[in-house]
Amino acid sequence: LRPYHVEYTSSRPITEVKQRRARLVLGWVTAWEYRVSFSVGKIPRSLNYSRDEIEALFKREGLDQRFRLSSTHDRKTGSTCQVYYAHDLSQPDERLVALKIIRADFIDSFVSLDDLRNLQRTKDYFYKPKNVIYNRRLHNFDQYIPIEQYIGELGRLCPHLPISRCVENGSKRLKTCNGYLIAFEYVYGRTVWENLVRTDFTYLNEDEARIFVRLFIQNLFILLQHHIIHCDLNGCQNYYYRLYDEIRAPPLRYKHWSSSSEDGEDGYSSMSGDSRQSSLDDLTSVSSSSPLVFIDFGWSICTADPDDDHHEVLLQTLQSLFERTPRIIQLFGGTNYWNFRRAVENRTMGLKQLLDHPWLKTDDDERETV
């Protein structure tokens, strides 16, 4: 057993912490419960299949004609799922995709198939689903899909969104293992967590941090306009930031990071050091159109009020950029920096107001206002 704090989040079975936060997300309580900590048992690995077992699963499910596992990319292991990298044989270039396999009983938010069809038919990228089930398990998937598939499909149809996108016709209920497969476009590079570990926690300087935080808020706001709030960004496993890929580190200093480490970062274990490395040549993927990409929307909202930029989850996510441990952004001095921190902590500004805060102003912004 080890402490589990609300600011260290990951996809996991419904626990007391998740239920408390879900009640907040859905409006069941009115106040955030800060820094509640208690002990929970480690969640056993789910769907922890070897390569041979996955290939056998593909054959049983009729997926072997569509996907071929990559021999140069390691899988990522999460607390409730695994991600395997494969080539999509239905495409002329056999593009690389990420196959996320989730146990059905770990999926607890669903969107109706009617809503998915309405989105695909109307191509209304601001469509608000009408039939969404949050925080409940379903045994009959006939009329519903996982929320992660719905948001990934929205990303496929609306390319400017800074999120991982589903592959067309790439999702399937796996009846032979009680799981669900969702195929996403491959996102090149490393997560922020992987890069922090790789560089022995080399942080952004203040100018770089200012640009990152501004982009982070802008992307949260963009998603909010599409009714989406990601509820699991308090760690740094669930987003990629390109600038970190360019930070140099000693060769092979970073070999492997286990998610069971005492460092407090649950989620996917990182790629091993000999996995394919990111480079500027990789940025040909559609998913690379944004320098910041969010992934893993299994714990999210897709019916949010786009005018509610003071939503507690959004502001708590920003607060965690500065306060979580290990730190994502280092401490800086200066009045503007600390005024920004207090504005987030005291909930005195929403996302739009924060974007105009003096700390986030760059030299270019200041020249434009002169």
Side-chain angles (χ1 to χ4, degrees):
L1 298 181
R2 64 185 177 93
Y4 179 73
H5 302 271
V6 294
E7 56 262 48
Y8 306 154
T9 60
S10 66
S11 299
R12 56 178 66 248
I14 302 173
T15 61
E16 185 179 353
V17 160
K18 190 167 182 180
Q19 288 174 335
R20 286 181 183 177
R21 195 162 176 192
R23 288 198 295 273
L24 165 76
V25 167
L26 301 177
W28 298 343
V29 294
T30 57
W32 182 266
E33 301 179 53
Y34 287 98
R35 303 182 187 280
V36 179
S37 64
F38 58 93
S39 293
V40 296
K42 287 300 295 179
I43 305 301
R45 297 295 183 207
S46 58
L47 295 176
N48 193 9
Y49 295 138
S50 67
R51 181 185 179 89
D52 291 342
E53 289 171 323
I54 287 296
E55 289 177 343
L57 173 64
F58 283 4
K59 288 183 180 179
R60 292 198 306 271
E61 296 285 345
L63 294 169
D64 56 319
Q65 300 300 311
R66 174 75 187 271
F67 301 115
R68 184 184 69 245
L69 290 181
S70 170
S71 59
T72 57
H73 292 74
D74 295 333
R75 67 187 177 190
K76 289 188 179 182
T77 303
S79 56
T80 63
C81 66
Q82 284 190 277
V83 177
Y84 296 83
Y85 300 103
H87 295 279
D88 186 350
L89 304 181
S90 70
Q91 300 298 311
D93 60 352
E94 297 187 358
R95 63 182 172 183
L96 194 65
V97 296
L99 304 179
K100 186 169 187 177
I101 301 178
I102 319 167
R103 260 181 51 180
D105 53 355
F106 283 115
I107 303 171
D108 57 15
S109 293
F110 303 84
V111 180
S112 73
L113 270 173
D114 287 340
D115 282 314
L116 175 65
R117 290 170 183 144
N118 285 338
L119 173 68
Q120 293 171 330
R121 177 178 53 82
T122 64
K123 291 184 170 53
D124 177 4
Y125 306 139
F126 298 94
Y127 175 77
K128 183 178 180 179
K130 298 176 175 57
N131 187 356
V132 181
I133 297 175
Y134 292 108
N135 210 32
R136 282 180 55 192
R137 297 179 183 176
L138 288 182
H139 297 289
N140 186 349
F141 281 68
D142 290 345
Q143 299 303 317
Y144 291 90
I145 60 171
I147 192 171
E148 194 165 4
Q149 180 185 344
Y150 175 84
I151 294 176
E153 183 67 9
L154 174 61
R156 186 181 71 81
L157 296 172
C158 186
H160 80 273
L161 292 181
I163 63 178
S164 52
R165 320 189 209 293
C166 277
V167 173
E168 188 171 7
N169 298 320
S171 301
K172 183 178 181 180
R173 174 74 189 275
L174 305 174
K175 297 182 179 180
T176 63
C177 71
N178 192 32
Y180 207 93
L181 179 141
I182 308 175
F184 292 96
E185 289 184 6
Y186 181 73
V187 181
Y188 289 95
R190 304 179 184 89
T191 65
V192 169
W193 173 250
E194 290 172 335
N195 275 319
L196 284 172
V197 174
R198 176 183 64 87
T199 61
D200 197 20
F201 289 84
T202 299
Y203 292 104
L204 304 174
N205 63 39
E206 187 167 8
D207 286 339
E208 293 168 339
R210 188 182 292 115
I211 293 170
F212 168 67
V213 173
R214 183 177 181 84
L215 180 62
F216 197 93
I217 296 174
Q218 287 173 337
N219 284 354
L220 290 182
F221 188 75
I222 288 171
L223 292 181
L224 182 63
Q225 302 314 296
H226 295 265
H227 308 286
I228 297 172
I229 296 177
H230 196 310
C231 301
D232 201 9
L233 291 177
N234 288 337
C236 48
Q237 280 281 22
N238 291 339
Y239 48 93
Y240 295 74
Y241 184 49
R242 306 290 174 207
L243 181 62
Y244 261 120
D245 286 343
E246 300 171 13
I247 297 177
R248 296 187 179 277
L252 300 180
R253 174 72 178 272
Y254 158 62
K255 179 64 178 174
H256 188 77
W257 189 265
S258 171
S259 63
S260 61
S261 165
E262 293 301 318
D263 215 324
E265 183 67 23
D266 278 330
Y268 299 120
S269 59
S270 301
M271 293 180 290
S272 66
D274 58 357
S275 294
R276 181 168 182 245
Q277 302 300 303
S278 173
S279 71
L280 293 179
D281 294 336
D282 287 333
L283 303 185
T284 56
S285 167
V286 177
S287 297
S288 301
S289 58
S290 171
L292 179 65
V293 179
F294 297 133
I295 64 170
D296 198 8
F297 283 83
W299 188 7
S300 60
I301 304 170
C302 63
T303 54
D305 179 357
D307 295 322
D308 186 12
D309 69 340
H310 285 74
H311 196 288
E312 177 62 26
V313 171
L314 297 173
L315 297 180
Q316 178 62 34
T317 296
L318 288 179
Q319 186 172 342
S320 294
L321 287 179
F322 300 92
E323 293 188 353
R324 72 180 301 282
T325 305
R327 202 176 294 280
I328 300 173
I329 297 174
Q330 62 183 318
L331 294 175
F332 300 108
T335 302
N336 285 339
Y337 168 78
W338 286 106
N339 284 344
F340 180 86
R341 289 280 305 272
R342 282 190 285 271
V344 174
E345 293 166 11
N346 298 331
R347 310 301 195 249
T348 56
M349 295 183 180
L351 299 183
K352 287 184 69 174
Q353 288 177 291
L354 287 170
L355 286 172
D356 291 327
H357 193 279
W359 184 65
L360 293 184
K361 294 290 186 181
T362 64
D363 292 339
D364 291 339
D365 294 330
E366 293 174 355
R367 281 194 290 270
E368 288 177 4
T369 58
V370 173

